[in-house]
Amino acid sequence: MFKDLLIVKPVAPAPHVDAGEPVEGSLRGEANLKRVLTARHLVLLGIGAIIGAGIFVMTGQAAANHAGPAIMLSFVLAGLACAFAGLCYAEFAAMIPVSGSAYSYTYATLGEAVAWFVGWSLVLEYLFAASAVAVGWSAYTISLLENLAGMAGMDWTFPAWLASAPFTYTNGEFVMTGALFNLPAVLIIAAVGTLCYVGMQQSATANAIIVAIKMVVILALIGFGMQYVNADNWVPFIPENQGGDRFGIEGVLRGASIVFFAYIGFDAVSTAAQEAKNPQRDMPIGILGSLVVCTLLYIAVAAVLTGMVPYTDLGTAKPVATALEPYADLAWLKLAVEIGAVAGLSSVILVMLMGQPRIFFAMSRDGLMPKFLGKAHPRFGTPHKATVVVAIVAALLAAFFPLGVLGDLVSMGTLLAFATVCIGVMVLRRTRPDLARPFKVPLAPVVGTLGALSCLALVFFMGWYNWVLLAAWTVVGFTIYFGYGYRHSLLRQGR
């Protein structure tokens, strides 16, 4: 059934099919997307997505509320799970270089219904990630503007009623903030969505520039910040458990499930496979290269932040700036960090808003989503209609939902998708051992099993309200599937 899909001939559709019409599987109509990305673009694309939210936003939340200084260990655990999943992604991305990421891989190995579940989970991963990071971007941007105003001798603060969501979630309770909505978060999504609409090559170039800026800032943070580290702030390394997932070993594992949010960059690389010039060679380089670089940087930054100030002070939407505030002689670095965070988080939003429309694009080409989501712009060669839909929904989520809720939902969707990909590699090794694999996972049964188990274990440590929201999300997803996708599936129509 999936023979044509799994033979990697990505440039042209089958000869007996008109070039403008769909062809079998997730390769339907893919030739409409332009091949403009190199291995360097893909590595930078991955770094652009990975480096940002984890360092500038999620590290402080996880350290202050769950792991303490052991957030460094949380990053190690999350990075290990990602390494297993990354190897499996690399095999699939080289073998099936299409734009649907884990959705397309699952479609080819585990069937349409499971693929729908994964694709719907990826909506949590990309769409909610763009919204969550936009909330962090808003906090750093407001801090930067107020800092610049103070340097200019102006007493100006951003209106609080336009600076956050109308409610927040703290210690198991929803609390009203008095705000109306988060205006800066809406504006950044609108701006980045416009850039994604215009074209992939322009977006990748902008991303490369932003990555260079934030890498300089992060290396400066590590280099200068380590001089102010007080080792006493690391004691105790694993704070005593205060009940549930607040500190202790349980808190370390909960922290790993939170910071897993920060590792979705290599997954975003795989969504650009159909726009890579040489996907069989470049996709594994982009996925694994970006993952290794960013994991090392995460651990280093987590060590510096928790060493500069007590971990309890880091529970803000701008923890890096918070860690620098007590040091007057590092005011220049705080300003640089805010600039780097604004740029860095912009690149994360950029990659997320590039990834989600391409997943909708693939699902639409299989008949599981409305046809208009599978259209490519005749001039720009981008999934423009899907981009508009994603940007609008992401802006609404960023305007009205707090960071904690969005971040946890992203992690759940990501972990479920990663676990499925790990299982898919093992299934395909058994069902189609004859397929050409430009990149092969070493010890695939071991790596695939450990990847699936580690991802599912992290899901287990999510809060109860996340499970309720995930259950509701899944019900909505399968309602759409049986109401629309099942009836319009090209696979079921024998096409």
Side-chain angles (χ1 to χ4, degrees):
M1 181 184 302
F2 297 112
K3 181 178 180 182
D4 294 335
L5 171 62
L6 294 173
I7 297 176
V8 181
K9 295 180 180 178
V11 176
H16 65 280
V17 181
D18 180 76
E21 294 298 320
V23 296
E24 187 183 357
S26 296
L27 292 180
R28 296 180 174 93
E30 293 281 358
N32 291 331
L33 300 180
K34 295 181 179 179
R35 293 188 173 277
V36 296
L37 303 181
T38 65
R40 178 176 59 84
H41 283 129
L42 293 172
V43 170
L44 293 174
L45 196 66
I47 294 174
I50 300 174
I51 295 295
I55 286 179
F56 294 118
V57 181
M58 305 308 296
T59 301
Q61 300 277 326
N65 299 319
H66 301 285
I71 187 63
M72 291 177 271
L73 183 56
S74 296
F75 272 118
V76 172
L77 295 175
L80 185 61
C82 277
F84 294 136
L87 287 167
C88 295
Y89 259 94
E91 178 168 314
F92 267 132
M95 183 173 54
I96 313 174
V98 294
S99 67
S101 182
Y103 161 76
S104 293
Y105 308 154
T106 308
Y107 189 99
T109 56
L110 301 177
E112 182 182 274
V114 179
W116 171 269
F117 173 73
V118 171
W120 195 241
S121 296
L122 289 174
V123 176
L124 281 179
E125 179 179 343
Y126 289 97
L127 185 58
F128 281 65
S131 304
V133 177
V135 173
W137 183 94
S138 173
Y140 274 101
T141 299
I142 291 172
S143 177
L144 174 62
L145 293 175
E146 292 178 348
N147 192 4
L148 292 174
M151 294 172 62
M154 300 170 56
D155 184 15
W156 176 83
T157 57
F158 192 86
W161 60 280
L162 291 176
S164 67
F167 69 94
T168 186
Y169 184 82
T170 305
N171 296 327
E173 296 182 355
F174 289 96
V175 180
M176 302 306 295
T177 64
L180 184 60
F181 69 99
N182 196 324
L183 177 61
V186 173
L187 294 179
I188 185 58
I189 288 179
V192 173
T194 301
L195 182 59
C196 291
Y197 185 100
V198 170
M200 183 60 129
Q201 188 169 21
Q202 292 87 341
S203 299
T205 300
N207 176 70
I209 295 171
I210 293 172
V211 167
I213 294 173
K214 67 180 176 182
M215 286 298 289
V216 170
V217 170
I218 289 168
L219 292 175
L221 170 66
I222 296 172
F224 289 96
M226 64 187 302
Q227 301 176 44
Y228 294 82
V229 166
N230 180 358
D232 291 341
N233 288 328
W234 292 336
V235 180
F237 185 69
I238 302 179
E240 184 178 353
N241 182 265
Q242 298 179 9
D245 58 10
R246 286 187 59 79
F247 310 112
I249 296 299
E250 297 85 351
V252 173
L253 293 170
R254 179 70 175 98
S257 71
I258 293 173
V259 300
F260 202 92
F261 169 95
Y263 283 98
I264 59 179
F266 72 81
D267 181 27
V269 172
S270 70
T271 68
Q274 197 61 26
E275 289 144 291
K277 291 182 178 180
N278 186 0
Q280 285 84 355
R281 180 184 70 88
D282 295 345
M283 294 308 297
I285 294 174
I287 291 172
L288 298 176
S290 59
L291 179 60
V292 169
V293 171
C294 296
T295 299
L296 295 174
L297 287 174
Y298 273 147
I299 295 171
V301 171
V304 169
L305 294 184
T306 54
M308 292 183 70
V309 297
Y311 65 87
T312 52
D313 294 345
L314 297 174
T316 70
K318 50 181 182 66
V320 180
T322 300
L324 294 170
E325 284 174 356
Y327 303 97
D329 53 339
L330 290 181
W332 65 272
L333 183 56
K334 179 175 180 289
L335 179 62
V337 162
E338 289 171 342
I339 294 173
V342 169
L345 296 177
S346 298
S347 72
V348 178
I349 299 169
L350 172 65
V351 177
M352 296 303 102
L353 291 186
M354 285 164 57
Q356 182 58 57
R358 285 156 178 79
I359 293 170
F360 279 157
F361 183 92
M363 296 177 76
S364 174
R365 291 294 183 165
D366 291 330
L368 303 182
M369 285 285 188
K371 291 182 179 180
F372 76 91
L373 295 175
K375 300 294 184 181
H377 195 283
R379 176 185 172 190
F380 300 131
T382 60
H384 58 303
K385 294 183 178 180
T387 298
V388 171
V389 171
V390 168
I392 291 174
V393 176
L396 290 173
L397 291 172
F400 298 108
F401 281 81
L403 178 64
V405 173
L406 292 170
D408 278 347
L409 287 172
V410 170
S411 291
M412 293 195 83
T414 305
L415 287 163
L416 291 173
F418 286 5
T420 307
V421 168
C422 292
I423 294 170
V425 163
M426 295 186 290
V427 170
L428 199 60
R429 285 289 186 94
R430 180 174 293 273
T431 58
R432 292 299 305 275
D434 57 308
L435 290 173
R437 290 172 168 84
F439 175 84
K440 296 185 68 173
V441 176
L443 301 174
V446 175
V447 171
T449 300
L450 290 175
L453 290 178
S454 59
C455 290
L456 293 175
L458 292 178
V459 173
F460 176 78
F461 286 96
M462 293 289 184
W464 65 267
Y465 69 93
N466 297 106
W467 284 98
V468 172
L469 291 174
L470 179 64
W473 181 259
T474 302
V475 169
V476 171
F478 274 100
T479 299
I480 296 173
Y481 173 66
F482 288 112
Y484 180 90
Y486 187 87
R487 294 187 296 108
H488 291 83
S489 166
L490 300 188
L491 180 63
R492 297 185 182 280
Q493 296 173 14
R495 296 173 58 184

